[in-house]
Amino acid sequence: GLTNTPWAMIIPSLISPFGLYLMWIFSEQAVPQELLEAARVDGASEFRTFWQISLPLLAPGIVTTALFTIVANNYFLPLIMLKDADWYPLTIGLNQWKDQASTAGGQAIQNLVITGSLITIIPLVIAFLCLQKYWQSGLAAGAVNQESRAVVESHHATRVADAAELVVGEVAQVAADGARVGVARHKGT
């Protein structure tokens, strides 16, 4: 049913085992546990923690995985799933032209192959240029990673110190109240 349709290429591209593995490994390195713990201490929900902390840190990996999936599935998957030449992407058409150029000895077809290769690469170059900011933000985040961890740790230590000060204050208040009660009972007898 799905062969020889665009869905035969779209559905398998949605879930990529390599992309899942790549994102799993990247997310372990890109999102520090201390940052998630600090968000939880500050009272952020899991949804807010994901959208405002984790997702921006994961953007370089998401962009890389998406581009890799699009580029890697652009030749072999259509070659296997599509039989109608009208549905072939440019990569398969270029390969067929290249085969014709080598067997027919036609220089004119070779020029078409080179021109077609240039046309095929232009959207990829545009995508890389537009998505370059995500890789740069990932590099910048990695450069300040140790500094941000120190900030998170100092924030966490400040929160713990504030909580300890509050507890000590409460204990002192309870002790003072207990002492007043004891003095009042002693005077009353």
Side-chain angles (χ1 to χ4, degrees):
L2 286 179
T3 51
N4 213 24
T5 65
W7 291 107
M9 295 185 329
I10 294 171
I11 292 174
S13 297
L14 292 177
I15 299 176
S16 165
F18 179 74
L20 181 65
Y21 176 73
L22 184 66
M23 281 306 299
W24 182 280
I25 298 299
F26 181 75
S27 65
E28 285 180 350
Q29 300 293 324
V31 182
Q33 289 297 323
E34 296 87 8
L35 201 57
L36 298 177
E37 291 171 8
R40 289 184 187 113
V41 167
D42 286 343
S45 67
E46 293 296 321
F47 184 75
R48 184 173 182 189
T49 302
F50 176 74
W51 281 103
Q52 291 186 343
I53 295 173
S54 298
L55 198 60
L57 292 173
L58 293 174
I62 292 169
V63 168
T64 302
T65 303
L67 284 175
F68 182 76
T69 302
I70 290 167
V71 171
N73 288 339
N74 202 16
Y75 183 76
F76 290 113
L77 189 62
L79 188 63
I80 294 168
M81 298 302 284
L82 301 176
K83 302 296 178 215
D84 186 9
D86 292 339
W87 287 108
Y88 283 167
L90 287 174
T91 51
I92 295 176
L94 287 173
N95 191 33
Q96 289 179 345
W97 278 0
K98 180 187 69 78
D99 292 341
Q100 284 179 353
S102 64
T103 57
Q107 184 64 26
I109 295 178
Q110 188 67 30
N111 292 339
L112 287 176
V113 171
I114 293 171
T115 306
S117 298
L118 177 66
I119 291 171
T120 303
I121 290 173
I122 289 174
L124 275 176
V125 170
I126 291 171
F128 275 102
L129 291 176
C130 291
L131 299 172
Q132 184 178 12
K133 67 179 179 180
Y134 293 104
W135 285 301
Q136 288 175 348
S137 70
L139 291 173
V144 297
N145 197 12
Q146 293 300 325
E147 182 179 324
S148 64
R149 282 189 181 176
V151 168
V152 167
E153 288 173 3
S154 69
H155 178 71
H156 185 64
T158 304
R159 289 290 212 163
V160 170
D162 290 346
E165 184 179 321
L166 183 64
V167 168
V168 168
E170 290 293 321
V171 168
Q173 184 66 35
V174 168
D177 290 344
R180 275 190 234 121
V181 170
V183 169
R185 282 189 188 163
H186 182 65
K187 286 184 178 180
T189 57

